[in-house]
Amino acid sequence: MKLADKIPRLTVVGAGPGDPDLITLKAIKALESADVILYDALINVDLLDYASPESEKIFVGKRKGCYAYQQEQINELIISRTKSHGHVVRLKGGDPFIFGRGAEEIDYARQYGVETQMVPGISSATAVPAYRGIPLTKRGASESFWVITGTTKAHKLSKDIALAAKSTATVVILMGMGKLKEIVAIFAAENKQNVPVAIIQDGTTENEKFGFGTIENICRVVEEKALTSPAIIVIGEVVKQRVKLKKVYSEIMESVVT
Ligand SMILES: C[S@@+](CC[C@H](N)C(=O)[O-])C[C@H]1O[C@@H](n2cnc3c(N)ncnc32)[C@H](O)[C@@H]1O
């Protein structure tokens, strides 16, 4: 297709939590038809193999030692590349509508007359605990779950954590590692010292690390195991009631390699 015939369009695509097999068929089709891919730090770069070799691939995430694009620059890149190249795929970790700024980028692009589409992804909020055998709900253990950010736009702890700590729900916290001590103090103030906690770093990938404990001792577990971001914090009875699973990721990889 000639460039002049290309319609400026943006597809915001969920890349899943890390395991490259946790991507949807619709996401793969979007990658195959992309002229430009703007991708974030938490996506598995193997997914870029689905794209045409002619497509332009631009890393716009934050990574140690790399230039980090500001959100305004990413917005501008989306507009300029849709106008100059046609189909831009914005590839984001997990689900772009869960703490992913997907809606903001779509709002921005629409102001410039760019056609927009959204392909939901498998969020780390559910998939990462699942790969460790933790069901977020389980009959008799949990009737609901909260997914909360540990760090708000103003770099503060979300007030929703205090509300969630009063409930009997499973609480899943993203971007919370830097505020773990504050989080633990909130649950302790609700007399929940014995509530089980799981922390899973780089979940669903071959670098996955994890630690289990309770509100009382999880900070020590984190220190001993040197757990750090990106990680998911799961608080609730379901952590104790986790099921045993085979190592899904390594088995799939072994069958690919052998
Ligand atoms: C900006 S949020 C993006 C969440 C993403 N939109 C999603 O649906 O998974 C980034 C945070 O998600 C969590 N996260 C994403 N991928 C993860 C993974 N593979 N293992 C553990 N935590 C992960 C971490 O808490 C990380 O700091």
Side-chain angles (χ1 to χ4, degrees):
M1 194 188 287
K2 281 192 296 192
L3 194 57
D5 298 332
K6 290 201 172 181
I7 299 167
R9 63 189 177 106
L10 165 70
T11 310
V12 174
V13 174
D19 179 343
D21 285 343
L22 290 181
I23 188 159
T24 65
L25 285 175
K26 200 151 191 161
I28 292 172
K29 287 178 189 169
L31 286 168
E32 284 170 347
S33 72
D35 297 304
V36 180
I37 299 171
L38 307 181
Y39 64 99
D40 279 351
L42 286 181
I43 72 125
N44 189 317
V45 288
D46 289 354
L47 297 175
L48 299 175
D49 292 346
Y50 288 113
S52 143
E54 280 84 54
S55 63
E56 186 183 13
K57 294 149 191 105
I58 309 174
F59 172 67
V60 294
K62 286 180 207 150
R63 207 178 273 155
K64 267 190 191 151
C66 281
Y67 172 77
Y69 280 75
Q70 299 300 309
Q71 187 62 46
E72 294 71 31
Q73 292 174 299
I74 297 173
N75 291 346
E76 280 162 23
L77 256 184
I78 290 173
I79 304 306
S80 62
R81 287 300 199 276
T82 53
K83 305 276 180 197
S84 62
H85 289 63
H87 186 201
V88 171
V89 161
R90 185 65 179 94
L91 190 61
K92 289 171 163 280
D95 183 290
F97 277 8
I98 298 179
F99 304 125
R101 299 192 188 177
E104 287 159 61
E105 292 179 10
I106 287 175
D107 277 346
Y108 188 87
R110 282 179 59 82
Q111 289 174 47
Y112 291 84
V114 172
E115 269 186 20
T116 52
Q117 277 179 312
M118 154 68 175
V119 180
I122 297 174
S123 179
S124 63
T126 52
V128 167
Y131 262 34
R132 275 286 123 218
I134 303 169
L136 297 187
T137 66
K138 191 174 179 192
R139 280 206 289 178
S142 167
E143 294 167 2
S144 64
F145 61 89
W146 296 56
V147 178
I148 313 175
T149 176
T151 312
T152 64
K153 203 174 172 187
H155 306 290
K156 297 262 161 56
L157 194 68
S158 167
K159 290 199 171 74
D160 288 350
I161 293 179
L163 296 175
K166 291 186 190 300
S167 78
T168 55
T170 304
V171 181
V172 179
I173 303 173
L174 275 61
M175 296 172 278
M177 291 302 276
K179 296 201 162 49
L180 186 63
K181 281 194 180 135
E182 283 177 67
I183 293 167
V184 159
I186 289 170
F187 281 80
E190 297 294 334
N191 247 334
K192 295 198 166 170
Q193 286 86 344
N194 295 325
V195 170
V197 182
I199 295 192
I200 309 148
Q201 176 191 329
D202 288 311
T204 81
T205 77
E206 53 199 347
N207 301 321
E208 183 174 294
K209 286 171 75 179
F210 57 89
F212 294 112
T214 60
I215 287 293
E216 194 165 34
N217 66 14
I218 195 67
C219 288
R220 186 159 46 79
V221 173
V222 165
E223 226 174 275
E224 282 168 6
K225 298 205 159 194
L227 297 174
T228 179
S229 297
I232 297 268
I233 304 166
V234 187
I235 304 172
E237 220 30 57
V238 289
V239 170
K240 203 161 72 191
Q241 300 210 16
R242 62 189 178 274
V243 293
K244 277 216 160 85
L245 297 171
K246 283 190 176 178
K247 280 187 189 160
V248 185
Y249 184 81
S250 57
E251 291 208 340
I252 290 169
M253 291 318 286
E254 274 162 24
S255 67
V256 170
V257 172
T258 53

